[in-house]
Amino acid sequence: MNNATDNHLMEQVRDGKVERLAIIFERYHVMLYNFFLRLTYNRSLSEDLVQDVFIRVLKYRSSYQGQDKFTIWLYKIARNTHIDYLRKRKDIVLLDEQLDKIASQEPLPPEKAEQAQEILRLSQALAKLPLKKREALILSRFQDLKYKEIAELFGCRIGTVKVLVHRAIKELGKAYLELSGGVAS
Amino acid sequence: MKCNQIKEKFSDFLIGEIDEIKRKGIQEHVTVCNSCREELETLSAIWAKLGVLPEEQPSNNMRTRFYATLEKYKKSLEQEKERFHLGKLLVGWVERWMPRRPVFQFSFALLLLVVGLAAGYFFHSSWQRGGEIAELRQEVLQIRQIAALSLLRQESLNERLKAVGLNSRGEQPDEGTLASILRTIGSDTDIYTRMATLDDPYLFPGFSIVKEELAQSLSEQTSPLVEVALALVHHIEHLK
């Protein structure tokens, strides 16, 4: 196992030892894949986006200064990759449609039916949130980023992130309740 | 604490980024405030529920693609390094031949300059000996005359005026050009074009046909201005 810090590895990549990027890839590709998957609900697209992130890391390796925490730098690239994708694609499949497709395609085994339904409803509710709220919630809940780090990533104050997350959870709860057949308060 | 202040801390409460005093403050508040309790319960429930979303694993294809890309990038870097190395070798070779002392460097540069100048002089003279310049000059003259002829036939007055003097650089015009010029003096619809054409300096290097044609033209002119101009031309020619 390699114990080198992310920062040190990235500095080596910057200085020409590009093969060291393999260690970074092994550490972060699953994390990035899940980040994109929760934003797009499309597996092959998420894999493409992860690939694109690492191509960008190679492309911009000389600009790495190491002032930011490495994961913040990586997430900055990931967010830009996703935003560029949204800008370029005119024929973008709406997230809801993507989820409906999943629901209709994947037959659910009876013993896991209830949990699978729960996952689907939560994903659909999550997909209804505006992009920034969804990002804030995903980053804080699933990607283990602190509010301070998310604020750094978004370029805003910590208070703004806290409000974003708070509202995102409230809206998510409302959407989940509606999808479950309950009445939103 | 007021409800608003309590609610502001809910996101910290959920993520666990909260100290013990604040946590206790929230817990005490929600025991007495139904609205805040309900909101915190809803938020906590949905926050916990999100835990059922599993972490997914990408396909192996992603890893294969990444390593292929990395390999390709490494190769392109190595090729770049090789090119850089060749460049360095060349510079090193030049440096080896370059004298160390500035005075010798200056002499060497001077020598190179002299060699360059000599080579330039040699090639220049041999090129001139080949008569290529004369040939080119003749071609340019021909092109200019063709352009003038073409302009003289244009409908536009401006275009016809442009033709005047275009091919006059002291060289002898060919018969076609001369005939066209004389035709313009004799019969162009615009008197200013006729007069301007008369000023063309290559009408006077002693062509007898020009004198005859101009005399003929004088009797046929309808414009007094052109007649005066023609008479002046004749007079000047006689004085010569």
Side-chain angles (χ1 to χ4, degrees):
Chain A
M1 181 162 171
N2 198 305
N3 290 320
T5 63
D6 298 335
N7 189 42
H8 182 57
L9 286 169
M10 191 56 221
E11 278 172 354
Q12 287 181 315
V13 172
R14 178 195 63 197
D15 299 338
K17 285 187 175 176
V18 289
E19 64 279 1
R20 305 291 274 172
L21 188 66
I23 303 168
I24 295 176
F25 174 83
E26 293 301 339
R27 281 181 190 175
Y28 292 109
H29 76 282
V30 177
M31 181 192 85
L32 285 173
Y33 172 73
N34 278 279
F35 173 63
F36 287 129
L37 193 59
R38 282 174 182 134
L39 286 175
T40 65
Y41 293 99
N42 186 318
R43 289 173 197 277
S44 65
L45 171 63
S46 299
E47 289 189 1
D48 287 348
L49 290 172
V50 174
Q51 177 80 1
D52 205 4
V53 167
F54 283 100
I55 289 172
R56 285 181 190 215
V57 168
L58 283 173
K59 193 175 170 187
Y60 302 118
R61 67 193 169 92
S62 56
S63 69
Y64 182 73
Q65 298 295 321
Q67 305 112 320
D68 288 339
K69 190 179 162 190
F70 174 75
T71 43
I72 306 290
W73 187 74
L74 195 62
Y75 271 118
K76 275 183 187 168
I77 294 177
R79 284 187 79 218
N80 287 338
T81 306
H82 181 240
I83 289 166
D84 286 350
Y85 161 76
L86 292 178
R87 275 195 204 125
K88 277 180 205 162
R89 286 288 299 265
K90 303 283 178 203
D91 56 337
I92 184 163
V93 180
L94 292 172
L95 285 171
D96 277 356
E97 290 172 22
Q98 191 75 35
L99 287 166
D100 289 345
K101 222 163 77 184
I102 295 168
S104 61
Q105 275 175 358
E106 292 178 8
L108 305 166
E111 68 277 8
K112 287 187 177 175
E114 200 180 324
Q115 195 194 3
Q117 275 299 323
E118 184 97 327
I119 291 170
L120 188 66
R121 268 199 300 272
L122 268 173
S123 303
Q124 282 171 326
L126 204 54
K128 286 186 189 301
L129 297 181
L131 179 61
K132 198 144 189 188
K133 282 181 186 162
R134 197 152 24 105
E135 278 186 311
L137 188 56
I138 290 169
L139 290 167
S140 60
R141 181 65 179 87
F142 301 106
Q143 311 296 120
D144 294 329
L145 256 63
K146 307 278 180 216
Y147 291 140
K148 185 173 167 273
E149 292 169 336
I150 300 172
E152 206 179 322
L153 186 61
F154 285 8
C156 65
R157 294 188 305 122
I158 299 178
T160 313
V161 176
K162 287 180 183 177
V163 172
L164 263 178
V165 173
H166 187 158
R167 287 183 185 162
I169 304 168
K170 268 177 98 169
E171 284 177 34
L172 182 72
K174 221 182 253 184
Y176 176 77
L177 207 61
E178 280 170 11
L179 287 164
S180 312
V183 182
S185 56
Chain B
M1 274 195 280
K2 289 179 183 171
C3 290
N4 279 348
Q5 290 170 307
I6 290 289
K7 284 178 182 177
E8 274 176 16
K9 294 183 176 60
F10 280 175
S11 5
D12 291 330
F13 184 85
L14 293 171
I15 205 171
E17 273 187 26
I18 193 162
D19 59 47
E20 204 47 43
I21 299 164
K22 283 178 186 162
R23 178 188 291 278
K24 274 188 177 168
I26 291 172
Q27 280 167 341
E28 279 167 16
H29 179 87
V30 296
T31 53
V32 291
C33 177
N34 283 344
S35 156
C36 286
R37 188 176 59 245
E38 273 176 26
E39 186 169 336
L40 186 61
E41 278 172 0
T42 314
L43 293 176
S44 301
I46 201 81
W47 185 262
K49 215 178 267 293
L50 282 170
V52 300
L53 292 180
E55 187 179 76
E56 305 272 348
Q57 289 298 318
S59 70
N60 269 335
N61 183 35
M62 192 166 105
R63 185 175 271 112
T64 315
R65 273 171 69 198
F66 167 76
Y67 282 103
T69 307
L70 189 61
E71 203 52 40
K72 206 171 149 190
Y73 188 82
K74 261 173 71 182
K75 271 188 188 156
S76 72
L77 270 187
E78 275 160 18
Q79 280 170 354
E80 207 172 287
K81 263 184 199 166
E82 265 175 38
R83 277 199 296 273
F84 182 70
H85 185 65
L86 272 176
K88 268 181 89 174
L89 270 180
L90 196 69
V91 169
W93 186 80
V94 171
E95 271 177 355
R96 215 173 41 227
W97 284 95
M98 185 58 87
R100 297 268 169 233
R101 289 179 63 183
V103 66
F104 291 134
Q105 282 179 359
F106 179 73
S107 313
F108 187 58
L110 204 66
L111 181 72
L112 282 178
L113 182 71
V114 170
V115 169
L117 282 173
Y121 180 76
F122 173 75
F123 285 118
H124 182 70
S125 352
S126 66
W127 188 53
Q128 269 195 332
R129 271 198 303 275
E132 285 180 44
I133 286 181
E135 214 169 280
L136 276 174
R137 190 179 289 145
Q138 188 59 33
E139 275 177 25
V140 169
L141 187 66
Q142 279 171 358
I143 290 165
R144 207 187 292 143
Q145 287 182 351
I146 290 166
L149 270 176
S150 151
L151 285 170
L152 278 172
R153 289 180 193 130
Q154 295 295 316
E155 285 289 314
S156 156
L157 173 62
N158 280 340
E159 296 298 316
R160 295 206 301 279
L161 281 170
K162 269 187 209 166
V164 176
L166 187 70
N167 55 0
S168 58
R169 294 287 188 276
E171 290 87 357
Q172 288 193 347
D174 61 22
E175 280 183 18
T177 311
L178 202 55
S180 189
I181 297 283
L182 291 169
R183 197 162 48 247
T184 304
I185 294 168
S187 58
D188 196 281
T189 50
D190 179 69
I191 60 167
Y192 298 106
T193 309
R194 278 182 260 157
M195 285 170 66
T197 315
L198 260 176
D199 281 342
D200 229 330
Y202 72 150
L203 285 172
F204 315 113
F207 294 112
S208 57
I209 185 169
V210 173
K211 284 184 185 170
E212 284 164 23
E213 288 284 339
L214 289 181
Q216 175 72 22
S217 179
L218 183 58
S219 61
E220 289 167 4
Q221 288 296 334
T222 50
S223 160
L225 275 172
V226 183
E227 280 176 348
V228 170
L230 266 170
L232 272 170
V233 166
H234 274 292
H235 181 65
I236 292 164
E237 276 303 286
H238 277 301
L239 286 176
K240 282 182 183 172

